[in-house]
Amino acid sequence: MLKKWFGKQPPKEETIVAPLSGTVVRLEDVPDPVFAQKMMGDGIAIDPTDGDVVAPVDGEIIQLFPTKHAVGLRSEAGVELLIHVGIDTVSMNGEGFTAYVKAGDRVKRGERLLSVDFSLVREKAKSAVTPIIITNGDAIESLERKAEASATKGETILLHVQTK
């Protein structure tokens, strides 16, 4: 089977689960044009119902923003994800955010990455809606949305991705 790939690795599949519990939101409905118009990449979003953010895949933390409002991961299949907690939350300068990981950490699906005071986010930021973006779209062969109306962190499958 590998011979048909002529020395290249065969495509890898990745299942991305919900990093938060809440209501699933189409990316096009996120109240920020950068995300809604997919300028940063394709994906999905969640309007959260609790404050835990967990790893949606097994992989590595490749970035934790100093304000803790966003975290980047690379899955074992090579899918790069950005979890951007809320809209315009960078202006909160980390207030209401606690990080449990740092860049370089290896994480397992369901492991807690952040805790967030979403009542504070809803008070101080534009929205609590949290986009989950695939930032290396050029490496993606196919993306299938699997999400239901609501999601349970660490359990509900949001996306099924196949890399090139």
Side-chain angles (χ1 to χ4, degrees):
M1 172 135 173
L2 288 178
K3 287 186 179 185
K4 83 174 200 174
W5 297 104
F6 302 104
K8 295 190 332 186
Q9 289 291 323
K12 295 180 183 175
E13 295 186 1
E14 187 69 72
T15 300
I16 299 165
V17 299
L20 303 119
S21 294
T23 304
V24 176
V25 176
R26 291 177 340 125
L27 203 55
E28 296 84 355
D29 296 331
V30 171
D32 182 301
V34 171
F35 295 111
Q37 295 173 21
K38 302 180 183 179
M39 292 179 203
M40 295 187 69
D42 204 349
I44 201 156
I46 296 176
D47 191 357
T49 54
D50 80 28
D52 284 331
V53 180
V54 302
V57 293
D58 292 348
E60 179 183 359
I61 303 299
I62 54 175
Q63 185 173 24
L64 176 65
F65 285 71
T67 53
K68 303 176 195 133
H69 77 287
V71 60
L73 301 96
R74 181 181 305 111
S75 79
E76 292 181 356
V79 178
E80 294 181 4
L81 297 169
L82 174 69
I83 303 169
H84 191 283
V85 180
I87 304 300
D88 293 344
T89 46
V90 68
S91 64
M92 294 175 65
N93 290 317
E95 183 184 5
F97 294 84
T98 302
Y100 299 96
V101 294
K102 64 187 179 317
D105 286 354
R106 306 269 325 149
V107 294
K108 292 287 186 190
R109 178 180 296 165
E111 187 176 331
R112 185 163 65 167
L113 305 177
L114 306 169
S115 59
V116 183
D117 180 347
F118 278 110
S119 59
L120 189 64
V121 168
R122 286 182 176 92
E123 176 187 322
K124 294 193 168 201
K126 184 175 180 180
S127 173
V129 171
T130 298
I132 300 101
I133 305 296
I134 296 172
T135 57
N136 65 334
D138 57 329
I140 305 303
E141 181 72 34
S142 67
L143 169 69
E144 183 181 353
R145 285 166 189 77
K146 297 278 193 178
E148 302 165 17
S150 64
T152 302
K153 69 180 174 236
E155 295 179 17
T156 304
I157 296 172
L158 294 179
L159 304 167
H160 186 77
V161 179
Q162 188 170 22
T163 63
K164 292 181 180 173

